[in-house]
Amino acid sequence: MRDVDLDIAHGERVLLLGPSGGGKSTLLAALAGLLADSGEQAGEITVDGLPPADARSRVGILFQDPETQLVMRRAGDDVAFGLENRGVPAERIWPRVRAALERVGFGYPLDRDTASLSGGEQQRLALAGVLALEPSLLLLDEPTANLDPDGAALVRQTLDRSLRGDRATLVLVEHRVAEALPLVDRVVALSPGGGVLADGPPDEVLRRHGDALAALGVWVPDAEPVPRRTRPTAPPGPMLLTARQLGYRYPDSPAPTRSAPERSAPALAGVDAEVGAGEAVAVRGPNGAGKSTLALLLGGLLPPSSGAVVASTALAGRYAGRPPHRWRAAVLAERIGSVFQNPEHQFLAATVHDELALGPRRAGHPAADVAKTVDDLLERLHLAHLAEANPHTLSGGERRRLSVATALAAAPRVVILDEPTFGQDLRTWTELLDLLSGLRDDGTAVVAVTHDADFVAALADRCLDLERPA
Amino acid sequence: MRTLAPLGDTSAPLARRDPVAKLAAMMVLTIALLAAVDPVTPAAALAAELALVPLFGVRYRALLRRSGTLLVSVAGIAVTQLLFGTSDSGPVLLDAGPLVVTAGVATTALGLALRIVAVALPGLVVVATTDPTDLADSLTQHLRVPARFAIGALAAFRLVPLLAAEWELLTLARRARGVDAGGNPVAYVRLVVSTAFALLVGAIRRGTRLATAMDARGFDSHVPRSVARPRRFTAADAAMIAGAVGIAAAAIGTSVATGAFRPLM
């Protein structure tokens, strides 16, 4: 981020847009006075005429990840934490805690264990903790990006409920514009090259700069629906993976007892599934239906508690007699690739290039082939300019593309992805869609666990709908 | 974090005592038990401790389940001491070829085992009946422990259970990338080390985010902190510490009276 000139008046409610990795979060952290003296800094920021570090008590900020915002075990204590830090007298703390919880619509008692709340409820509680401090400038940094759709809907509803009619100044970062519009009266878009691309009332900015914003990856409302990537008319290839009556129970979950029957519920029970070459299957279902568990079972990463995953000879070759979870890791990676929800879990190397070379090297491919595979993937996933970068320093979209590329490096015939489009901007979303439909058209089986209805509509040939096990 | 889940009724008369009082009582017993190396002192203290367990709202069966690992390791230490102890005092109790057990060795082994159990038991009970938030409140309010440390540790503690889930995911993700040890012990150690490193990096990243979020809510402001949950140190809390002094004195008294007492120095 550079050369940004911006004046925000008291009471203005601003939606801040910009390219992924373009410094929106950095700007919010700077406004909140939380930027350490690292990195190159130029220019000046003031809040109410003061340096942000001196105006800290007037500013509240809500981050993406609810898990690392909650401090205390009991919900009420967590809201009280900020008030204690500000030295609010004890007798005034609890009325303010109750008022803040009431304002966000938190329906649990004060001693509710924060670890037992869903992500959406945790984020709602974190908002109460910020609002209890009555900030005159409220900063929201993609508050729904780390939540599942139910949680995101809950938090949006909470923001709507607690911020409508509020007099505080608001700066919101959110790339799903349609959902942010009811909360704001001004839109500012940062330009990828530095400076401000557009600034003004939402309608006007979206009318005049809609296409430019979409090119930055912003989900502009009422844009044309993404055309469906249809499968070529060729019939589906041979069956690759079959699951019969598949079930999974966590190893440490206690046996059913009369006092705690719900704790003994399996993660997954009695699921039949099959995946053929050249088809894209979407796995859908509510939270707790075991979608991620199914992905791990099909991916040969967890041993099923009941039923079996069978790999056909077309997929497994001479390993067909054994279930995938008993294959050696290198054998598995060449046949079934898995992409985890959090890309960082899968990174093992110090550079993007080595990350991509790791799979084929371990599979014993000759050096020339490895180099070719890596170059090809760098090109296809637009990562060539980052070949020598550390995977952990990439932006969210780049990390996601790299994690998919690492799974593809060993050229598996089945690729299983857990929420690949989660929290991605429009640009990464479209790139992933093109990549996966291309793989499918070339005969790879694509299985995607997803909540994303647009993604399902654009890609899936078939849906597998899971229900919460009884 | 099974070991931290409350083990019993948190409103039991001794479970309700202030965490600092519990810690002080525990320390009194520990010092007394470390000062004496004979078996009678810890046996007497252990008897008193066991009698008090129900007043903490802890059931014996639950306590036994939680102390399984402790008892197994204590038995191991006692047997080792019995087999390899060097004291040759006292009559020979057992003479089986190279293995000679004298009364002196047996007494030392028994004393050691009882001491470990008698020192560990109050710790187990205190941990099982103390809410971490109450502990942090009590430390900051009664002992003036800096909030930066006590509340910071408390917040970091909340992230610990996430590490277990993280470890599992990292292990699976390595397999998905085609990396496993395949029965080679050297490769296995390297894999564990690399997974642990990734876990550490993730934990630091999380910790940094948490610290930023805490500072954003004024944790690093230099305003004197107020207290949302004021705690009072009551006469009952003081009485608990006095009780621990009494038990320690009675245990050493019993040992002296029976002529078994042997001080550490």
Side-chain angles (χ1 to χ4, degrees):
Chain A
M1 179 187 67
R2 59 193 174 87
D3 299 335
V4 174
D5 290 314
L6 201 56
D7 282 302
I8 298 172
H10 273 267
E12 268 193 305
R13 299 152 78 90
V14 178
L15 171 64
L16 187 62
L17 299 173
S20 164
K24 303 183 294 285
S25 297
T26 312
L27 179 56
L28 288 199
L31 284 170
L34 294 171
L35 271 197
D37 295 325
S38 61
E40 288 174 42
Q41 295 185 9
E44 188 190 27
I45 288 188
T46 58
V47 177
D48 275 351
L50 298 169
D54 297 335
R56 289 269 298 275
S57 60
R58 305 175 196 195
V59 183
I61 181 165
L62 185 68
F63 298 95
Q64 290 181 16
D65 180 17
E67 221 142 52
T68 50
Q69 287 183 85
L70 298 181
V71 180
M72 306 295 278
R73 196 179 61 79
R74 291 182 290 244
D77 294 351
D78 193 78
V79 179
F81 169 75
L83 296 166
E84 291 178 301
N85 293 336
R86 297 274 157 84
V88 174
E91 67 279 6
R92 300 230 308 269
I93 289 181
W94 293 102
R96 279 175 73 171
V97 168
R98 286 197 192 87
L101 288 172
E102 170 71 19
R103 188 168 163 197
V104 300
F106 186 80
Y108 301 101
L110 291 179
D111 64 354
R112 175 75 183 205
D113 185 347
T114 52
S116 70
L117 298 170
S118 72
E121 292 286 2
Q122 286 183 334
Q123 192 69 321
R124 173 186 248 189
L125 179 63
L127 179 67
V130 174
L131 292 179
L133 299 172
E134 295 164 7
S136 53
L137 170 60
L138 180 60
L139 309 170
L140 305 174
D141 188 1
E142 297 194 51
T144 60
N146 275 18
L147 304 175
D148 58 52
D150 292 348
L154 178 75
V155 168
R156 273 195 295 276
Q157 184 196 326
T158 305
L159 288 171
D160 211 42
R161 167 195 171 113
S162 39
L163 302 182
R164 271 212 186 161
D166 188 41
R167 308 249 302 280
T169 313
L170 175 73
V171 180
L172 166 65
V173 172
E174 167 72 70
H175 47 233
R176 298 238 166 205
V177 172
E179 284 139 13
L181 283 184
L183 289 173
V184 299
D185 50 29
R186 177 178 168 192
V187 173
V188 173
L190 302 182
S191 168
V196 172
L197 172 80
D199 184 354
D203 295 346
E204 191 191 311
V205 169
L206 293 177
R207 199 176 56 241
R208 292 179 45 193
H209 301 278
D211 292 343
L213 292 174
L216 292 184
V218 175
W219 290 90
V220 178
D222 307 322
E224 305 231 328
V226 180
R228 185 172 159 72
R229 274 37 170 197
T230 42
R231 180 169 57 187
T233 45
M239 199 51 64
L240 298 178
L241 270 182
T242 313
R244 276 191 229 106
Q245 286 299 303
L246 202 57
Y248 188 75
R249 184 183 287 279
Y250 292 108
D252 54 354
S253 72
T257 58
R258 234 183 343 188
S259 60
E262 77 284 357
R263 287 179 64 202
S264 64
L268 194 73
V271 172
D272 290 313
E274 45 182 35
V275 190
E279 66 171 347
V281 181
V283 179
R284 303 186 298 187
N287 285 329
K291 300 186 296 293
S292 295
T293 305
L294 178 63
L296 293 173
L297 289 167
L298 288 176
L301 299 171
L302 281 182
S305 312
S306 58
V309 175
V310 180
S312 69
T313 314
L315 173 66
R318 63 196 176 89
Y319 298 94
R322 268 197 205 184
H325 73 267
R326 298 194 41 214
W327 296 347
R328 284 290 307 270
V331 171
L332 178 71
E334 280 187 285
R335 287 164 179 79
I336 308 175
S338 288
V339 179
F340 284 50
Q341 199 165 336
N342 181 351
E344 296 189 2
H345 284 138
Q346 286 186 283
F347 294 157
L348 295 168
T351 68
V352 169
H353 179 279
D354 290 353
E355 200 69 77
L356 292 174
L358 184 128
R361 268 187 203 144
R362 295 206 49 119
H365 294 186
D369 289 4
V370 174
K372 190 178 169 308
T373 306
V374 172
D375 290 344
D376 179 47
L377 281 169
L378 285 172
E379 199 58 44
R380 267 163 75 199
L381 287 146
H382 313 292
L383 293 167
H385 61 295
L386 297 166
E388 295 310 316
N390 183 311
H392 289 282
T393 61
L394 304 183
S395 76
E398 290 159 355
R399 274 198 294 250
R400 168 53 72 204
R401 295 206 299 271
L402 178 59
S403 73
V404 175
T406 57
L408 300 183
R413 287 198 72 187
V414 177
V415 179
I416 301 172
L417 309 100
D418 194 354
E419 299 286 1
T421 58
F422 196 64
Q424 297 302 329
D425 67 10
L426 177 61
R427 209 160 88 184
T428 305
W429 191 92
T430 314
E431 282 170 359
L432 283 170
L433 180 63
D434 288 337
L435 178 76
L436 295 177
S437 60
L439 281 175
R440 185 258 323 264
D441 298 348
D442 292 341
T444 303
V446 176
V447 179
V449 167
T450 186
H451 274 110
D452 182 341
D454 294 335
F455 189 67
V456 172
L459 179 71
D461 304 313
R462 207 147 59 72
C463 288
L464 177 62
D465 290 309
L466 295 184
E467 280 167 20
R468 223 176 286 232
Chain B
M1 295 309 291
R2 262 164 69 205
T3 49
L4 294 174
L7 195 56
D9 177 10
T10 48
S11 63
L14 292 184
R16 267 202 337 255
R17 296 281 61 81
D18 193 273
V20 163
K22 290 189 208 170
L23 286 180
M26 190 177 94
M27 269 171 64
V28 166
L29 286 176
T30 304
I31 291 168
L33 288 164
L34 291 182
V37 293
D38 62 280
V40 176
T41 311
L46 190 58
E49 287 166 14
L50 283 171
L52 289 172
V53 162
L55 290 179
F56 281 93
V58 175
R59 295 225 307 275
Y60 287 113
R61 199 190 298 169
L63 186 66
L64 187 66
R65 224 178 293 135
R66 192 161 295 185
S67 44
T69 326
L70 170 75
L71 294 179
V72 169
S73 34
V74 166
I77 290 170
V79 169
T80 314
Q81 181 82 14
L82 217 50
L83 296 183
F84 302 108
T86 50
S87 164
D88 49 5
S89 64
V92 172
L93 298 180
L94 175 72
D95 188 350
L99 177 63
V100 180
V101 176
T102 64
V105 166
T107 311
T108 313
L110 184 66
L112 184 67
L114 285 172
R115 272 165 93 202
I116 297 174
V117 176
V119 167
L121 182 72
L124 269 175
V125 171
V126 167
V127 168
T129 61
T130 302
D131 179 276
T133 312
D134 293 346
L135 174 63
D137 284 345
S138 182
L139 287 174
T140 49
Q141 291 173 40
H142 300 324
L143 296 186
R144 306 266 161 244
V145 171
R148 191 94 199 142
F149 169 76
I151 306 287
L154 191 63
F157 217 45
R158 278 196 63 255
L159 295 179
V160 171
L162 301 177
L163 292 180
E166 186 87 353
W167 178 267
E168 162 101 18
L169 270 177
L170 285 169
T171 308
L172 295 181
R174 275 161 169 66
R175 174 165 161 78
R177 291 293 313 275
V179 179
D180 64 6
N184 175 344
V186 177
Y188 178 77
V189 170
R190 281 175 53 185
L191 187 61
V192 168
V193 168
S194 103
T195 310
F197 185 71
L199 188 74
L200 183 69
V201 170
I204 290 173
R205 193 167 289 135
R206 271 218 188 91
T208 310
R209 279 207 298 266
L210 178 64
T212 308
M214 289 171 76
D215 285 348
R217 287 208 271 158
F219 193 51
D220 65 346
S221 72
H222 299 289
V223 183
R225 264 187 128 240
S226 60
V227 163
R229 297 167 299 279
R231 296 199 68 92
R232 280 181 47 231
F233 197 85
T234 60
D237 295 323
M240 184 187 211
I241 303 176
V245 173
I247 291 174
I252 291 177
T254 312
S255 172
V256 171
T258 55
F261 185 70
R262 268 166 54 208
L264 182 63
M265 283 178 291

